[in-house]
Amino acid sequence: QLQLQESGPGLVKPSETLSLTCTVSGGSISSSSSYWGWIRQPPGKGLEWIGTIYYSGSTYYNPSLKSRVTISVDTSKNQFSLKLSSVTAADTAVYYCARLKILTGYYVDYWGQGTLVTVSS
Amino acid sequence: QSALTQPASVSGSPGQSITISCTGTSSDVGGYNYVSWYQQHPGKAPKLMIYDVSSRPSGVSNRFSGSKSGNTASLTISGLQAEDEADYYCSSYTSISTWVFGGGTKLTVL
């Protein structure tokens, strides 16, 4: 059973960079039928797609966040990471990492439990 | 990319059927059969309920079904149960190789 676990600081100061890591267990991040992604949810609001990465390093970002987002992958550690720069209070959210099934359909089938990141001084 | 459009709320009585709509464009919902639906209970991660417009993952009740016509996809829940009360989100693959979510619909079981 695939499991994903987010880790990283729960509090980030305005204008700084938010950094999170997702550790994948129970399966390989180098799967040819998977993308790996980040999704966030501000308190009381809906889900927002941040971006996705393939194990080869190919990335796809939400156009509205593209200038501030970097997603990277470390296949040796079975991890992928998110960096979001120049954060403001509007970036306060629960951040989920996820596995996206591709090729035979395109959907999220595994989610991490989510981690709350608060942007505040 | 703009969020897909869902009604903010729907409601129904136990045993009834409800339908949640999800409207996009020809660059997402209308252009691909890659619409998925997620159920989210408070404080929990979303759960996949429908993928590729109308397919159901193993373990999801057959009371949940999906369909699509043009740029609008729909989720139907039949035989409503109290445990179905949750937020529901649609999502679609897009022409720029990203995904987009709907704004979410709160389902209340009366």
Side-chain angles (χ1 to χ4, degrees):
Chain A
Q1 178 80 348
L2 198 66
Q3 292 187 318
L4 295 88
Q5 179 67 58
E6 306 90 351
S7 59
L11 181 64
V12 181
K13 289 182 167 56
S15 80
E16 295 190 343
T17 296
L18 178 160
S19 295
L20 295 173
T21 295
C22 183
T23 300
V24 179
S25 58
S28 173
I29 204 167
S30 299
S31 164
S32 61
S33 61
S34 302
Y35 280 169
W36 305 93
W38 291 95
I39 297 158
R40 71 180 183 178
Q41 185 171 35
K45 296 188 178 181
L47 301 169
E48 181 179 32
W49 206 271
I50 299 173
T52 55
I53 191 165
Y54 194 51
Y55 74 92
S56 63
S58 298
T59 52
Y60 303 92
Y61 298 137
N62 184 327
S64 67
L65 298 170
K66 188 174 183 177
S67 64
R68 299 193 293 128
V69 173
T70 301
I71 297 176
S72 59
V73 63
D74 186 336
T75 55
S76 67
K77 294 182 178 179
N78 232 31
Q79 294 177 333
F80 62 104
S81 299
L82 168 71
K83 291 188 184 300
L84 181 66
S85 63
S86 306
V87 297
T88 69
D91 295 310
T92 293
V94 173
Y95 285 76
Y96 294 100
C97 62
R99 197 278 288 264
L100 293 86
K101 184 70 174 172
I102 61 170
L103 302 181
T104 55
Y106 287 78
Y107 51 91
V108 179
D109 56 355
Y110 290 96
W111 299 73
Q113 65 183 24
T115 186
L116 175 63
V117 178
T118 301
V119 179
S120 175
S121 55
Chain B
Q1 59 190 33
S2 299
L4 306 176
T5 301
Q6 298 181 232
S9 63
V10 297
S11 62
S13 299
Q16 289 186 332
S17 295
I18 64 94
T19 297
I20 299 171
S21 61
C22 170
T23 301
T25 69
S26 58
S27 295
D28 38 64
V29 174
Y32 304 91
N33 288 325
Y34 297 140
V35 176
S36 49
W37 289 90
Y38 304 88
Q39 176 192 67
Q40 186 180 35
H41 287 110
K44 300 294 187 181
K47 174 188 175 184
L48 178 67
M49 304 303 285
I50 295 288
Y51 66 95
D52 297 351
V53 175
S54 59
S55 296
R56 243 184 345 267
S58 174
V60 171
S61 171
N62 59 10
R63 297 186 298 105
F64 291 83
S65 62
S67 62
K68 190 187 87 167
S69 178
N71 295 338
T72 299
S74 298
L75 172 72
T76 298
I77 309 174
S78 60
L80 266 182
Q81 299 180 359
E83 69 220 44
D84 300 332
E85 186 162 293
D87 294 326
Y88 290 84
Y89 295 90
C90 62
S91 180
S92 175
Y93 185 66
T94 79
S95 60
I96 55 172
S97 301
T98 63
W99 276 259
V100 62
F101 282 104
T105 298
K106 181 177 180 59
L107 169 62
T108 300
V109 180
L110 302 171

